[in-house]
Amino acid sequence: MNGADTLVGTLLASGVDTCFANPGTSEMHFVAALDANPDMRCVLCLFEGGVTGAADGYARMSGGVAATLLHLAPGFGNGHANLHNASKAGVGIVNVVGDHAQRHLRYEAPLKGDIEGVAGSVSSWVRRAAGPESVARDAAEAVAAARSGGGRIATLILPADAAWGAAEGAAKAPAPPPLLRPDPAQVAAAADALRRPGAALVVSGPGLHGAPAEDAGRIAAATGCRLIAPFFAPRLRGGAGAPAVERMQYVVEENSAFFDGVAHMVLVGADRPVNFFAYPGKPSTPEPPGATHDPLCPPGWDVAWTLAALVDAVGPAEPRRNASARPEAPTGPITPQTVGAAVARALPDETVIVNEAVTAGLTLAPALRGAPPHDLLSNTGGAIGMCLPLAVGAAVAAPGRRVLALTGDGSAMYTLQSLWTMARERLDVTVVVFANRGYRILRLEMANLGVTDYGRNAQRMFDVEDPSLDWQALACGHGVPSERVETAEALEAAIARASATPGPTLIEAVMAS
Ligand SMILES: Cc1ncc(C[n+]2csc(CCOP(=O)(O)OP(=O)(O)O)c2C)c(N)n1
């Protein structure tokens, strides 16, 4: 038995049985150990951004910890953006990053780099295995760290000689430290405050699906407060029958209007609301001046317990629920206004939607409210290129559920190789690429920043044309069947068709504007 064997044994003994991977020479003993343990599902992703995004999608849908296998500092660096998103989502990931053997590090070998530096900026736990005999204990602590605070990023650096050296046996992750909880007196005070006019309960993280979301709905019903979720929540239970939750807005003015009348916010699993960007002359935060915040249960604390304690304090009530509503059949060009109805009408029950449609998805929320029940995964960290990888991970974690990946064409190009993983793993994913042939949001943002007149350089940074991307050819090249639609009614029909077809399908939705 070597260090790598004890690592895989420890992951499995600790309940981590899925590894999204992009290996290299320094990880070959780890690969051999994974190979010797068929209970570990290994999923090859052809770029590290695909690896880390898939781990995020897997963790969001399974509630468990995903493992990744990354190749030294450059491999980790390639996966950084989606680890940033994952850390904002508050999910548990154990990254195993290979490094050169200790004796090799005194030389300037090509792949030598600052793994601690790049990993430290996005991990809440980083450790370098000192030798083969420490690997099992290190791995066990990495899993516990990934489970701490409800989900964190832990990175274990595995030097090649720690992997290949002789070691004793596997370990098992200890229980993570208990989640922090607010004081009962603080819960009682928050419950009182929620009964007053202008009160809002702002919930995120694990508070937006499952039993905690039901509790959040009960609290709103019992107190009459508003129940608010971030615009970009990690996992939001939605559709008919789900507790009614209002979602913040993206556009600054719309977000200010949304918070109109809010005098006091109780934050559970959520940070203080903030606008996505700063703009000259516009506020950073959306609530009216003088509104107060109670950070009752910060992200990483015990959200489920806090919501249950608030229910006890405010008394029983039935949540207000979204009514079932089927939008009118959309017709004509595919625009942000018709996308919502097309998606909502074609949505199979219990779909997992991954939304990175950017401007094409801006009006999705109202249409989804009365749609069949679903889970919605959003871009929590603002780094684009999460949609296709998250769809991979969500589909691996939730077999039997259809995954609908809604992506802008610009965003899809960041991590396009994920299509190949969908095809290889036969994942039931419908990918809709909203082809508006540009970075449309950046054009809108330029105007938001007060610049309305721009020339060739800016234009060429906003258009993705000349040449146009051929989405059907790109899908075909990754082994994914595809179709192209140009009207909202054809989009609805195509999503319905793809949903009934096993394996992945890509739909190129040509946008009119
Ligand atoms: C990692 C990263 N790089 C760049 C950006 C800036 N950015 C935000 S949206 C966007 C373009 C999105 O284009 P697309 O997906 O086609 O959606 P559209 O705006 O056209 O609706 C870019 C480049 C970002 N948010 N994250």
Side-chain angles (χ1 to χ4, degrees):
M1 183 170 275
N2 62 26
D5 295 320
T6 68
L7 170 52
V8 177
T10 302
L11 291 173
L12 284 170
S14 308
V16 179
D17 62 4
T18 306
C19 181
F20 299 94
N22 192 273
T25 304
S26 43
E27 297 87 42
M28 283 306 146
H29 286 83
F30 184 39
V31 170
L34 291 166
D35 191 48
N37 283 281
D39 288 349
M40 181 68 81
R41 180 168 181 187
C42 295
V43 178
L44 177 64
C45 303
L46 301 182
F47 176 66
E48 290 87 348
V51 169
T52 53
D56 183 3
Y58 178 90
R60 289 197 208 184
M61 287 314 297
S62 69
V65 170
T68 72
L69 163 48
L70 302 165
H71 189 50
L72 298 98
F76 193 101
N78 280 345
H80 191 283
N82 274 332
L83 286 173
H84 163 85
N85 291 329
S87 92
K88 297 273 188 186
V91 298
I93 295 177
V94 171
N95 299 305
V96 177
V97 195
D99 196 6
H100 291 305
Q102 182 62 30
R103 65 176 154 79
H104 207 57
L105 286 175
R106 84 180 82 126
Y107 309 108
E108 209 43 56
L111 276 158
K112 180 182 162 185
D114 182 3
I115 304 180
E116 277 86 351
V118 70
S121 67
V122 77
S123 312
S124 55
W125 184 98
V126 180
R127 183 177 300 168
R128 171 178 291 270
E133 49 308 306
S134 79
V135 169
R137 195 179 59 244
D138 294 333
E141 286 179 31
V143 174
R147 290 207 174 105
S148 66
R152 294 212 167 109
I153 312 294
T155 299
L156 175 61
I157 303 168
L158 182 68
D161 51 347
W164 72 50
E168 286 282 291
K172 188 172 177 216
L179 296 174
L180 295 172
R181 294 175 173 176
D183 195 90
Q186 293 170 309
V187 174
D192 280 346
L194 285 171
R195 290 200 187 86
R196 294 194 201 116
L201 176 63
V202 181
V203 178
S204 190
L208 292 174
H209 60 93
E214 294 288 317
D215 280 346
R218 288 189 186 103
I219 297 159
T223 61
C225 75
R226 286 178 68 185
L227 177 56
I228 294 178
F231 187 71
F232 294 104
R235 177 174 171 185
L236 176 69
R237 183 67 178 167
V245 180
E246 300 178 73
R247 280 175 63 197
M248 294 178 205
Q249 302 294 303
Y250 176 81
V251 176
V252 171
E253 290 76 7
E254 290 170 13
N255 214 20
S256 293
F258 174 87
F259 276 93
D260 199 24
V262 170
H264 180 70
M265 286 180 263
V266 174
L267 310 175
V268 177
D271 290 306
R272 176 181 176 179
V274 60
N275 290 325
F276 208 77
F277 289 108
Y279 304 86
K282 297 186 188 180
S284 282
T285 52
E287 70 276 16
T292 48
H293 312 88
D294 172 4
L296 179 67
C297 175
W301 285 33
D302 198 338
V303 170
W305 180 88
T306 305
L307 291 170
L310 278 170
V311 170
D312 286 346
V314 299
E318 208 13 56
R320 201 163 59 76
R321 297 184 186 281
N322 297 329
S324 174
R326 200 154 188 255
E328 289 289 302
T331 54
I334 303 175
T335 66
Q337 285 66 40
T338 55
V339 160
V343 169
R345 287 173 62 87
L347 203 67
D349 260 3
E350 294 302 332
T351 299
V352 180
I353 304 173
V354 186
N355 182 24
E356 195 171 43
V358 195
T359 57
L362 281 177
T363 60
L364 208 54
L368 285 180
R369 201 170 296 132
H374 60 266
D375 287 289
L376 175 68
L377 316 186
S378 299
N379 189 332
T380 48
I384 61 171
M386 49 64 85
C387 184
L388 302 182
L390 250 80
V392 166
V396 169
R401 292 180 71 173
R402 192 78 200 176
V403 176
L404 178 61
L406 304 172
T407 177
D409 49 0
S411 298
M413 285 305 292
Y414 281 62
T415 41
L416 188 67
Q417 319 81 344
S418 301
L419 292 177
W420 178 86
T421 305
M422 291 174 194
R424 171 190 254 196
E425 300 289 330
R426 317 275 189 277
L427 300 176
D428 293 331
V429 180
T430 306
V431 176
V432 181
V433 177
F434 294 103
N436 61 14
R437 319 283 180 214
Y439 290 167
R440 184 159 186 266
I441 189 118
L442 298 192
R443 245 177 263 146
L444 303 180
E445 291 290 28
M446 195 85 150
N448 282 338
L449 283 156
V451 185
T452 47
D453 193 21
Y454 50 83
R456 184 172 186 276
N457 271 347
Q459 195 63 48
R460 285 181 70 80
M461 279 188 269
F462 298 160
D463 285 349
V464 185
E465 271 190 310
D466 185 25
S468 277
L469 293 161
D470 181 340
W471 284 98
Q472 289 207 266
L474 291 168
C476 177
H478 289 84
V480 173
S482 69
E483 63 175 298
R484 183 176 200 264
V485 295
E486 299 192 9
T487 63
E489 54 270 42
L491 175 59
E492 179 187 336
I495 295 175
R497 242 186 330 271
S499 304
T501 310
T505 302
L506 182 144
I507 300 165
E508 176 182 3
V510 180
M511 301 288 290
S513 59

